[in-house]
């Protein structure tokens, strides 16, 4: 499943631990200068990003998918963070998002984000764009490659990104959730 | 480079051993294959973990190559961590002692083999390990073996869901008690109280004990311990007298280096320790170092595991802490274990799908999706089962010469099958758990598929007979007098309990033995203790013969 494709790169630099070395050098005849330089194994982050207009269209599509309403600025921010991280860190997502935006524009004949929310909802319903499942032999319309990519890859990715964010936890009534440290006693009682 | 003791691996066993030796004045070098994970990066690691990434994965991917086989393959991904801290970086923190019966399966039930030491032998070291790691618990486990000391920290209170499980267990006559854990219920050891971050796989506060926080820095602070990271040991060399003479290691530049020492300790986990021994062939050891018994790599075990969940009519508020607070050891001891395998029950505080999992699995979108997530979330309760796996020679770690690691060495191959003994225990456990969940009024009760805990056990087991074991009761290799193999690989049987506290206790005990050997040769000086809590010494050092080198 698309959203299960794991991000692959750690940023760690593997090298000698100079702090530990300095602490212990009095006890050991080890010359830090004689040790090789740390080696970097991770590829650099990708610098190419979506344009502002592309991001606007993608968010306009995502807010229809995840809530069916205009999101607040804070909610949109979580989506933007998710999209930016994907494009920077995982190969293929920039192209997927760009294909999504261009396919939507071709469907509408103009920028998707320029449509009112009600029209966007109608369009998503009419073209079954919110449904990740594609049936064998299903007619995907005039842009089948883009439609397939949207439904099978972009839709689960955007939905997963949103509902995995604080906005998603807010939907189920949690203001604290995994990754946000707080009150140790909360777990012993029901939520109010 | 030369040192007194070379330790391979900076995880639970190696880290604790390093501290125990360094504080006694023994000079130690730890060769750690992975990096030192900067504690300040843990917030970033949490973020990655929440994105379903494994943040502890080594940057040098080719180091972790391995292959699996057997009917129930055991994969290592997510089940081990390479780096300073080892698997304590990502463990759940459950810190249970084994039961006295776990050491005597042959004597009591006629199955498997007895350990060469008893619970009573290990008890003082358990106490020391609990103090050093900071174990929170209560003496409410009716099936726990006797303790000489109280838990150092008070238990975590039972959770909201525990109070749903408890009456059902009571009605069925099933014991329900606190889960001991190496996690701060109050500030302890310079580390803060747990703040319920819910991501114990990465503890962002340091409330969960891990030896990169509890032992390694203290060992380094003595001035007697040095940790070399990114230093992968490729083989151990032996001299003509049959003693280990050097650890040959390389850093990512692949240049071979040698570290000589008086004593070598391999503490790289059950898989990598066995692999390193098998890689270290010599004319005197054509089948691998310390492998005259032919048992290195054999008798691999883990804990076959299942989760059984059911749907509640009311919300049960999961995912507010990342660990469980209650368990039952009732089915793990004092039963006919010849025919009834041991299992223990973990009453889960978090079960069922998270909001994103519900959303992605849904075929809804928009307002309907939101409603579905809201309605579905927080309605499942679950119990996790850990089952004892008996030792079986067919389950083994071997070398796969067709797959090579970063340094060109054969990768480990793990062969794993779950036998009828374990399957019957799992079936019984599912039945017990099903009754508990049904008594709670849950519906849609479903077991997961078979899983394995992140516990790798066996592969260089201890024993008195060099023909049927690899190390002796002090974890010294029968075949190589200055080589020790420390960690869960030395366990004779697996019990159903998590292994880490026993790893820690055995490491303390082995360190004591090594220090006595070195001290008698005039090498070590008196030291100091962690948290001013010296483990009680009950070990009889029956063999203090030092090598010619010493």
């Amino acid at each position: 499943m698309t959203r299960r494709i794991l991000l692959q790169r750690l940023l760690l630099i593997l090298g000698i631990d100079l702090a530990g070395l300095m602490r212990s050098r009095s006890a050991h005849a080890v010359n830090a200068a004689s040790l090789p330089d740390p080696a970097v194994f991770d590829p650099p982050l990708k610098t190419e990003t979506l344009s502002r207009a592309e991001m606007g269209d993608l968010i306009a599509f995502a807010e229809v998918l995840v809530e069916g309403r205009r999101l607040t600025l804070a909610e949109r921010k979580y989506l933007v963070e998710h999209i930016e991280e994907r494009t920077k860190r995982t190969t293929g997502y920039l192209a997927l998002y760009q294909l999504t935006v261009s396919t939507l524009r071709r469907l509408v004949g103009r920028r998707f984000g320029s449509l009112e929310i009600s029209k966007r909802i109608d369009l998503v319903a009419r073209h079954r764009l919110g449904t990740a499942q594609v049936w064998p032999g299903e007619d995907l319309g005039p842009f089948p490659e883009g439609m397939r990519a949207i439904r099978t890859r972009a839709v689960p990715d955007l939905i997963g990104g949103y509902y995995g964010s604080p906005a998603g936890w807010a939907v189920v009534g949690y203001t604290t959730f995994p990754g946000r440290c707080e009150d140790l006693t909360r777990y012993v009682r029901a939520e109010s | 480079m030369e040192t007194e003791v070379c330790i391979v691996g900076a995880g639970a066993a190696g880290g604790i051993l390093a501290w125990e030796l360094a504080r006694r004045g023994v000079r130690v070098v730890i060769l750690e294959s992975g990096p030192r994970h900067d504690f300040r990066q843990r917030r970033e690691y949490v973020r990655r973990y929440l994105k379903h990434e494994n943040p502890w994965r080594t940057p040098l991917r080719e180091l972790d190559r391995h292959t699996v086989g057997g009917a129930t393959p055991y994969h290592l991904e997510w089940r081990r961590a390479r780096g300073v801290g080892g698997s304590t970086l990502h463990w759940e923190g459950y810190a249970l002692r084994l039961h006295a019966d776990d050491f005597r399966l042959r004597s009591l039930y006629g199955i498997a083999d007895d350990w060469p030491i008893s619970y009573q032998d290990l008890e003082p070291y358990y106490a020391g390990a609990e103090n050093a790691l900071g174990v929170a618990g209560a003496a409410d486990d009716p099936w726990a073996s006797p303790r000489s000391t109280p838990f150092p920290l008070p238990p975590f209170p039972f959770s909201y869901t525990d109070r749903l499980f408890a009456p059902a267990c009571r009605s069925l006559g099933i014991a329900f008690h606190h889960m001991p854990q190496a996690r701060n219920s109050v500030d302890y050891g310079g580390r803060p109280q747990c703040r319920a971050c819910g991501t114990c796989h990465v503890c962002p506060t340091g409330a969960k004990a891990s030896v990169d926080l509890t032992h390694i820095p203290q060992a380094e602070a003595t001035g007697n311990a040095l940790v070399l990271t990114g230093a992968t040991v490729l083989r151990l060399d032996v001299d003509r007298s049959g003693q280990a003479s050097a650890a040959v290691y390389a850093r990512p530049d692949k240049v071979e280096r040698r570290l000589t020492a008086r004593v070598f300790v391999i503490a790289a986990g059950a898989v990598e320790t066995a692999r390193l021994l098998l890689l270290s062939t010599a004319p005197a050891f054509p089948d691998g170092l310390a492998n005259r018994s032919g048992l290195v790599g054999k008798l691999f075990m883990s804990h076959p595991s299942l989760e059984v969940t059911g749907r509640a009519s009311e919300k049960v508020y999961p995912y507010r802490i990342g660990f469980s607070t209650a368990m039952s050891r009732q089915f793990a001891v004092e039963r006919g274990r010849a025919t009834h395998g041991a299992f223990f029950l973990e009453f889960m505080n978090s079960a069922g799908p998270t909001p994103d999992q519900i959303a992605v699995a849904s075929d809804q979108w928009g307002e309907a999706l939101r409603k579905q997530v809201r309605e579905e979330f927080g309605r499942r309760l679950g119990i996790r089962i850990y089952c004892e796996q008996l030792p079986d020679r067919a389950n083994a770690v071997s070398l796969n010469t067709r797959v090579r690691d970063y340094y060109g060495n054969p990768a480990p191959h793990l062969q794993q099958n779950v036998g009828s003994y374990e399957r019957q225990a799992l079936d019984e456990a599912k039945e017990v758990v099903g009754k508990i969940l049904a008594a709670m009024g849950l519906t849609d009760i479903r077991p997961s598929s078979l899983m394995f805990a992140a516990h790798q056990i066996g592969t260089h087991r201890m024993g008195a007979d060099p023909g049927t074991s690899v190390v002796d009761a002090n974890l010294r290799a029968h075949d190589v007098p200055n080589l020790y193999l420390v960690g869960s690989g030395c366990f004779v049987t697996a019990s159903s309990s998590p292994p880490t506290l026993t790893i820690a206790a055995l490491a303390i005990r082995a360190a004591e033995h090594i220090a006595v050997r070195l001290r008698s040769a005039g090498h070590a000086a008196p030291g100091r203790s962690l948290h001013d809590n010296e483990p009680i010494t009950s070990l009889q050092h029956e063999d203090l013969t030092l090598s010619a080198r010493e």
Side-chain angles (χ1 to χ4, degrees):
Chain A
M1 190 170 287
T2 299
R3 70 171 303 275
R4 287 188 177 175
I5 294 175
L6 298 178
L7 300 175
Q8 299 293 313
R9 300 297 173 196
L10 292 174
L11 293 170
L12 296 178
I13 295 172
L14 184 68
I16 195 71
D17 177 17
L18 288 174
L21 191 65
M22 292 306 289
R23 277 195 291 276
S24 300
R25 65 187 306 169
S26 61
H28 297 274
V30 177
N31 181 359
S34 69
L35 295 167
D37 291 330
V40 177
F41 296 97
D42 291 314
L45 294 176
K46 296 168 181 61
T47 52
E48 206 180 344
T49 57
L50 293 174
S51 70
R52 180 184 283 264
E54 287 172 328
M55 180 65 87
D57 280 1
L58 195 58
I59 295 294
F61 176 53
E63 63 184 359
V64 173
L65 294 177
V66 300
E67 294 264 13
R69 62 171 171 81
R70 282 193 66 84
L71 300 180
T72 66
L73 276 178
E75 291 165 338
R76 289 166 67 93
K77 183 169 145 279
Y78 296 127
L79 275 169
V80 170
E81 284 172 358
H82 170 76
I83 292 163
E84 285 180 343
E85 173 159 321
R86 282 281 203 241
T87 52
K88 274 184 198 157
R89 291 168 62 90
T90 312
T91 301
Y93 273 92
L94 179 64
L96 172 66
Y97 294 147
Q98 288 174 329
L99 178 61
T100 299
V101 169
S102 66
T103 303
L104 291 171
R105 284 186 189 180
R106 292 167 79 188
L107 272 179
V108 178
R110 57 180 165 135
R111 279 190 53 201
F112 188 80
S114 68
L115 298 178
E116 288 297 316
I117 184 75
S118 59
K119 289 190 176 163
R120 282 185 265 149
I121 292 171
D122 287 346
L123 197 85
V124 169
R126 191 178 336 131
H127 293 281
R128 294 175 50 79
L129 283 169
T131 307
Q133 179 78 45
V134 175
W135 298 102
E138 182 178 344
D139 180 8
L140 294 173
F143 315 113
E145 185 190 347
M147 295 291 277
R148 186 180 298 278
I150 290 174
R151 285 175 55 180
T152 61
R153 297 182 59 210
V155 166
D157 170 71
L158 294 169
I159 286 176
Y162 180 79
Y163 280 96
S165 78
W169 287 99
V171 168
V172 299
Y174 279 22
T175 53
T176 53
F177 40 80
R180 187 169 287 185
C181 310
E182 210 198 47
D183 173 15
L184 179 58
T185 65
R186 175 175 169 242
Y187 77 93
V188 305
R189 56 181 188 262
E191 293 288 291
S192 53
Chain B
M1 187 161 52
E2 183 173 351
T3 188
E4 286 182 298
V5 177
C6 165
I7 301 174
V8 181
I16 291 170
L17 197 101
W19 156 249
E20 292 291 337
L21 292 174
R23 76 182 178 88
R24 290 177 166 95
V26 178
R27 292 194 304 144
V28 173
V29 172
I30 307 178
L31 299 175
E32 169 52 52
S33 178
R36 186 184 295 258
H37 297 273
D38 186 343
F39 185 77
R40 292 166 298 185
Q41 286 291 309
R42 287 206 179 184
R43 275 279 155 208
E44 166 62 13
Y45 282 26
V46 165
R47 194 191 62 75
R48 294 179 190 184
Y49 172 66
L50 293 173
K51 295 276 184 188
H52 309 287
E53 279 185 77
N54 180 359
W56 303 115
R57 226 174 162 185
T58 174
L60 203 54
R61 298 295 160 77
E62 295 93 335
L63 272 181
D64 285 338
R65 280 190 181 138
H66 65 281
T67 57
V68 298
T72 51
Y74 188 96
H75 295 268
L76 292 172
E77 179 69 22
W78 286 89
R79 293 199 177 97
R80 65 176 178 180
R82 201 184 287 269
V84 175
S87 291
T88 64
L89 293 167
H90 73 167
W91 71 316
E92 290 193 85
Y94 300 150
L96 279 73
R97 300 178 175 201
L98 303 192
H99 187 273
D101 289 2
D102 292 330
F103 295 83
R104 303 179 62 221
L105 289 190
R106 169 61 64 181
S107 299
L108 293 172
Y109 308 108
I111 57 171
D113 285 297
D114 290 350
W115 293 45
I117 56 173
S118 67
Y119 173 81
Q120 289 72 23
D121 292 329
L122 206 52
E123 200 283 333
Y125 302 95
Y126 272 135
E130 286 172 344
N131 272 297
L133 293 170
V135 176
D140 61 348
D141 175 358
W143 281 274
S145 293
R147 309 172 52 86
S148 61
T149 54
F151 284 99
L153 281 77
F156 283 87
F158 284 133
S159 68
Y160 176 78
T161 48
D162 290 339
R163 282 189 259 120
L164 303 175
F165 287 120
C169 288
R170 204 177 306 121
S171 72
L172 294 166
I174 294 172
F176 184 91
H177 48 89
H178 287 89
M179 174 82 84
Q181 39 206 310
R183 181 180 279 109
N184 282 359
S185 55
V186 293
D187 292 357
Y188 184 81
R191 294 176 294 112
Q193 181 191 43
C194 173
R195 289 180 55 210
C197 308
T199 57
C200 297
H201 191 81
V202 182
C203 175
T205 66
K208 183 186 74 174
S210 54
V211 298
D212 61 316
L213 304 177
T214 56
H215 287 77
I216 298 279
Q218 287 86 337
E220 291 173 320
T222 65
N224 292 324
L226 172 70
V227 180
L228 293 181
T229 57
T232 300
V233 179
L234 309 177
R235 64 180 183 276
L236 290 187
D237 282 349
V238 289
D239 60 21
R240 275 179 288 183
S241 69
Q243 299 217 61
S245 56
V248 179
Y249 69 99
R251 302 195 66 247
D253 60 9
K254 299 190 179 179
V255 175
E256 288 193 3
R257 299 170 174 82
R258 292 169 63 82
L259 173 66
T260 58
R262 296 175 184 281
V263 172
F264 292 83
V265 179
I266 311 181
V271 173
E272 294 297 339
T273 294
R275 182 166 81 119
L276 181 54
L277 293 171
L278 294 172
L279 289 170
S280 302
T281 55
F285 299 102
D287 300 320
L289 194 60
N291 193 24
R292 291 191 177 129
S293 66
L295 286 174
V296 169
K298 302 288 197 303
L299 306 166
F300 175 74
M301 295 168 275
S302 185
H303 291 129
S305 176
L306 284 174
E307 291 175 11
V308 184
T309 62
R311 183 180 167 85
S313 57
E314 304 292 329
K315 296 276 187 181
V316 295
Y317 313 110
Y319 298 104
R320 297 187 297 172
I321 49 171
F323 56 96
S324 298
T325 37
M327 61 168 287
S328 178
R329 209 207 290 248
Q330 178 163 344
F331 303 94
V333 291
E334 295 179 4
R335 61 204 312 255
R337 287 167 73 174
T339 52
H340 291 74
F343 58 88
F344 94 78
L345 307 179
E346 173 193 347
F347 297 92
M348 299 165 69
N349 285 327
S350 296
T354 50
D356 60 327
Q357 289 169 330
I358 296 169
V360 170
S362 168
D363 208 28
Q364 304 287 339
W365 58 275
E367 177 61 20
L369 175 63
R370 177 190 173 86
K371 280 184 181 164
Q372 185 179 12
V373 171
R374 226 182 144 80
E375 172 61 23
E376 284 299 313
F377 176 75
R379 292 199 182 276
R380 292 199 81 81
L381 281 162
I383 299 173
R384 186 176 291 143
I385 300 158
Y386 294 92
C387 168
E388 178 168 33
Q389 181 174 21
L390 292 183
D392 178 345
R393 285 181 74 114
N395 294 331
V397 176
S398 58
L399 300 181
N400 185 343
T401 55
R402 287 169 299 173
V403 179
R404 302 275 168 168
D405 71 5
Y406 177 80
Y407 294 101
N409 274 329
H413 177 78
L414 284 76
Q415 190 77 11
Q416 171 72 313
N417 296 286
V418 170
S420 58
Y421 180 86
E422 293 83 18
R423 290 195 183 279
Q424 285 170 18
L426 288 169
D427 286 344
E428 183 193 352
K430 277 189 279 188
E431 195 176 320
V432 168
V433 169
K435 284 181 184 170
I436 296 170
L437 299 181
M440 297 169 71
L442 304 190
T443 58
D444 187 27
I445 296 170
R446 302 193 292 236
S448 70
S449 53
L450 177 68
M451 303 180 285
F452 287 103
H455 307 147
Q456 295 107 46
I457 302 169
T459 76
H460 51 84
R461 73 165 171 179
M462 64 165 87
D465 180 357
T468 59
S469 59
V470 179
V471 295
D472 66 15
N474 294 317
L475 309 189
R476 183 162 72 158
H478 291 303
D479 303 340
V480 185
N482 67 334
L483 174 65
Y484 291 77
L485 311 175
V486 184
S488 50
C490 69
F491 289 18
V492 179
T493 51
S495 94
S496 56
S497 297
T500 304
L501 193 72
T502 304
I503 293 171
L506 287 169
I508 296 171
R509 188 172 182 273
E512 192 174 88
H513 175 79
I514 293 168
V516 168
R517 287 184 71 197
L518 291 172
R519 190 179 296 144
S520 69
H523 292 294
R528 58 195 182 82
S529 66
L530 191 61
H531 310 321
D532 299 315
N533 187 37
E534 182 90 28
I536 302 161
T537 302
S538 63
L539 188 66
Q540 296 300 310
H541 296 283
E542 71 287 352
D543 181 4
L544 302 179
T545 307
L546 298 176
S547 69
R549 183 188 308 278
E550 292 166 328

